[in-house]
Amino acid sequence: MLEEGFTTIVLPTLSTMILFIITLNLFRYLVGKPCIHIRDVTKEHNWKSITRENKAYYCNNCEGLLFNIDGLICDSCGICVDPSCVKIADKQLKCKVISLSTNEPMKHHWIKGNLPISAVCDVCDEECDLEPGLTDWWCCWCQRCVHEACKPILSEICDFGKFKLMIIPPTSLEVVNQRSTVRRWLQLRSVIPPNWPEWRPLIVVANKKSGNKDGAEILSLFRRLLNPAQIVDLSERDPVAALEWCRLLGKIACTILVAGGDGTIAWLLNTIHKLKLKPVPSVAIIPLGTGNDLSRVLGWGKEHDPDKDPADILQQVQMAQEVKLDRWNVVVKPSTGLGLRGSYQTFNMYNYISVGVDAQVTLKFHRTRESRFYFYSSRLFNKLLYLCFGTQQVVERECKGLDKNVEVYLDGEKMDLPSLEGIVILNIPSWAAGVNLWNIGLEGHGEYGNQSINDGKLEVVGLYSSFHMAQLQVGLSQPYRIGQASTIKVKLLKSYAMQIDGEPWYQHPCEFIITYCDKASLLVNTVNSVLFSES
């Protein structure tokens, strides 16, 4: 009787209670206030080795001269130490504070010595840090430098300097779980906007493992100029976590500075689209990929210069203007052997789609890069790999006869195709690391219109071979122009390599349809972009 009561009453009751508790906590997690996890810099400094420096550094603890091979620097506040002084510095020398619970104006956070090269005193306009040792001061928030004698003359209140409107001040951040003695990650629950007109905070997003480790260097450089909480490492957090800033900021628009290649940029733009953020954040670019086609079009350059001052990048972002970029839906409908349709796949496209020889080269390069034997990475080496695989296709011609196994429909009209090995569908005037494919020799082709990144139209071209690709890259040939359209349907009757914005795969027979979706918001560097006048 007792056993029967346990199985019929107690066990079901306990199970129901456990299920209820799990469901309640899951519901609270899903509907609760969004939180951003950030590193708790109150625990310790964010040390890294002093590298690529051409000046002498001194330990902020023992004041001894540091040698580059041994010296460490905090990439957030700029304090330098000898490795033997790290523990003392973590306890006694405060790092940049991320959050501050006070209504009082913020004071300067002065760091003694180790000033930037060619630092000039903000009071007397004379050069600082001329004597050996720890001399003079600089503020790790506003970046102002002062002589020891001039320091009392300067106001105690920090105004955050010339990049004030990009910085999220510590007094604006509400932190939870701050009292934890173990946790190295804090949660930001809300942002209280400062009373600054035209405030538009900047969020810097990069993967420290990408771009031949350039991503790690970029994250470090911007921690010095901004609030370290504004710097998001994609190797630790996905874009959704980075974009939680936009939710916390509410009606205040922010800017996202993403360091990465075309794939990383597309990943971020897709996340912005899926989250339906309002207002939509604008995106600026630091190019870390191999091709960087979108970055070239928007004037951010073909590759990142590691010697470029990050302050110059912030200045360019401040001066940049918003431009709209067409976003396209790509629906892939696989075909079964019985002529039936399989499950659909939906993608977004920003740069271009290609089928055939171009995608085949990209796929081979991608597989090589993902291999565990790919132990060396650099842009030059990557370009040599591309050249190697392109040359291989000249000989093997794996995509020969593509025109007999593909059907192309532009706005419902089936197009006649010559002998081709590749088809490229363009949204921007840059392909294969900077080739303005559609516009090569466009003069005299009155039946075709000019290309634009926001006109709701795509340009479709054909590639005769891998050798033709090489000729196009050096301007010795023209593409075969198939046409322009707002809706494109392509039927693959045979398996071929395919890519969208540099992300390749091997596609079995299918039908894919490209239709207009909406527009993404990006920033164009007006100084370098050839598109600004058109946009």
Side-chain angles (χ1 to χ4, degrees):
M1 189 74 178
L2 184 62
E3 183 177 343
E4 182 180 352
F6 178 81
T7 56
T8 59
I9 299 175
V10 178
L11 191 59
T13 302
L14 287 174
S15 300
T16 303
M17 289 176 63
I18 292 171
L19 182 62
F20 174 78
I21 293 172
I22 293 173
T23 304
L24 181 62
N25 282 281
L26 179 62
F27 178 79
R28 285 176 176 173
Y29 173 79
L30 293 176
V31 303
K33 293 182 179 179
C35 292
I36 301 172
H37 294 269
I38 58 170
R39 191 181 67 84
D40 184 0
V41 296
T42 62
K43 301 292 183 185
E44 58 186 29
H45 293 272
N46 201 40
W47 302 112
K48 70 167 190 172
S49 297
I50 297 176
T51 57
R52 296 190 301 183
E53 302 290 354
N54 55 0
K55 60 165 288 183
Y57 282 83
Y58 296 87
C59 177
N60 281 91
N61 179 61
C62 68
E63 300 193 14
L65 177 64
L66 299 174
F67 295 98
N68 289 356
I69 193 171
D70 293 325
L72 298 173
I73 185 170
C74 174
D75 66 5
S76 297
C77 69
I79 283 176
C80 301
V81 294
D82 184 274
S84 61
C85 297
V86 167
K87 290 185 178 179
I88 299 175
D90 279 333
K91 291 180 180 179
Q92 298 182 358
L93 301 177
K94 290 184 178 181
C95 190
K96 251 184 178 179
V97 61
I98 285 177
S99 176
L100 197 60
S101 299
T102 179
N103 293 323
E104 298 294 324
M106 183 136 172
K107 295 183 179 181
H108 291 288
H109 183 153
W110 292 114
I111 305 296
K112 187 174 184 180
N114 301 313
L115 274 61
I117 298 174
S118 302
V120 175
C121 178
D122 195 69
V123 175
C124 67
D125 289 331
E126 298 291 335
E127 193 171 352
C128 295
D129 200 21
L130 294 178
E131 300 295 328
L134 286 177
T135 59
D136 301 331
W137 301 81
W138 70 283
C139 174
C140 61
W141 281 108
C142 66
Q143 313 301 317
R144 285 186 171 87
C145 302
V146 290
H147 292 114
E148 181 81 42
C150 297
K151 187 167 172 276
I153 302 174
L154 196 67
S155 169
E156 290 186 350
I157 305 304
C158 179
D159 65 357
F160 294 95
K162 62 181 179 179
F163 301 121
K164 170 180 179 177
L165 299 182
M166 290 182 164
I167 295 174
I168 300 178
T171 52
S172 291
L173 299 181
E174 179 194 2
V175 177
V176 295
N177 295 339
Q178 191 171 14
R179 295 183 180 179
S180 171
T181 58
V182 179
R183 186 189 299 269
R184 288 197 62 209
W185 293 92
L186 303 177
Q187 288 184 337
L188 298 183
R189 177 154 290 176
S190 67
V191 178
I192 304 168
N195 189 24
W196 299 341
E198 300 182 5
W199 182 58
R200 191 181 178 107
L202 178 72
I203 309 301
V204 181
V205 177
N207 186 331
K208 67 181 180 182
K209 298 178 181 178
S210 69
N212 195 28
K213 302 291 179 70
D214 284 342
E217 186 64 22
I218 286 170
L219 292 171
S220 290
L221 291 173
F222 284 101
R223 285 191 190 101
R224 183 84 62 88
L225 295 173
L226 306 171
N227 188 326
Q230 297 173 241
I231 315 303
V232 181
D233 184 359
L234 290 178
S235 69
E236 297 175 344
R237 295 287 182 267
D238 62 19
V240 174
L243 294 171
E244 282 297 342
W245 278 109
C246 304
R247 293 191 188 277
L248 293 181
L249 288 166
K251 296 181 180 180
I252 296 176
C254 68
T255 300
I256 310 292
L257 177 60
V258 54
D262 290 329
T264 303
I265 298 165
W267 186 24
L268 185 74
L269 293 176
N270 288 341
T271 307
I272 291 173
H273 177 62
K274 290 176 182 176
L275 293 177
K276 302 185 185 304
L277 298 174
K278 299 292 182 183
V280 178
S282 296
V283 177
I285 301 169
I286 297 176
L288 293 186
T290 302
N292 300 315
D293 286 295
L294 187 56
S295 174
R296 294 169 189 262
V297 168
L298 297 177
W300 298 108
K302 61 181 181 180
E303 61 184 20
H304 171 61
D305 179 4
D307 297 322
K308 188 169 185 177
D309 189 340
D312 292 340
I313 297 176
L314 293 186
Q315 188 72 33
Q316 290 177 342
V317 172
Q318 278 188 332
M319 296 173 61
Q321 298 195 25
E322 188 176 285
V323 66
K324 297 300 182 181
L325 173 71
D326 287 338
R327 178 188 282 117
W328 298 85
N329 282 331
V330 184
V331 179
V332 181
K333 304 177 180 180
S335 299
T336 65
L338 300 176
L340 302 175
R341 299 294 180 192
S343 58
Y344 294 2
Q345 288 182 293
T346 303
F347 304 92
N348 289 122
M349 184 268 285
Y350 303 91
N351 297 357
Y352 51 82
I353 296 176
S354 65
V355 178
V357 62
D358 170 37
Q360 183 72 26
V361 173
T362 304
L363 179 60
K364 289 194 173 186
F365 169 77
H366 182 78
R367 287 174 174 173
T368 302
R369 188 173 56 179
E370 295 297 316
S371 169
R372 60 181 179 178
F373 300 107
Y374 188 76
F375 54 88
Y376 177 74
S377 175
S378 73
R379 290 188 185 90
L380 178 59
F381 185 67
N382 289 343
K383 290 176 181 178
L384 289 174
L385 268 181
Y386 260 110
L387 177 62
C388 176
F389 291 132
T391 304
Q392 184 182 11
Q393 284 302 305
V394 173
V395 179
E396 296 181 356
R397 301 192 65 184
E398 295 179 66
C399 301
K400 183 179 180 181
L402 172 76
D403 54 291
K404 297 181 178 63
N405 295 291
V406 67
E407 297 176 4
V408 178
Y409 297 83
L410 302 187
D411 290 333
E413 180 183 353
K414 185 177 180 181
M415 309 304 293
D416 294 326
L417 302 176
S419 178
L420 298 174
E421 292 188 18
I423 294 173
V424 182
I425 302 169
L426 297 157
N427 187 41
I428 63 174
S430 183
W431 162 84
V435 180
N436 194 344
L437 192 58
W438 178 257
N439 293 316
I440 296 176
L442 185 60
E443 297 82 3
H445 293 271
E447 68 271 28
Y448 299 121
N450 292 325
Q451 187 176 23
S452 173
I453 65 172
N454 48 28
D455 62 353
K457 288 185 179 181
L458 295 168
E459 288 70 34
V460 187
V461 301
L463 306 174
Y464 296 119
S465 64
S466 180
F467 183 67
H468 184 216
M469 285 174 52
Q471 290 178 309
L472 289 167
Q473 289 177 325
V474 294
L476 295 179
S477 185
Q478 297 183 23
Y480 176 79
R481 293 179 181 82
I482 298 173
Q484 294 173 296
S486 298
T487 301
I488 298 172
K489 180 170 72 172
V490 178
K491 290 184 178 180
L492 289 183
L493 308 179
K494 182 182 174 182
S495 299
Y496 286 101
M498 182 174 172
Q499 69 158 328
I500 297 179
D501 294 339
E503 298 298 321
W505 71 94
Y506 197 71
Q507 179 62 52
H508 295 297
C510 73
E511 172 182 290
F512 64 89
I513 301 172
I514 309 171
T515 55
Y516 175 79
C517 177
D518 57 13
K519 296 186 187 298
S521 179
L522 291 106
L523 290 178
V524 57
N525 186 347
T526 57
V527 176
N528 299 324
S529 175
V530 296
L531 275 188
F532 181 69
S533 59
E534 301 175 14
S535 304

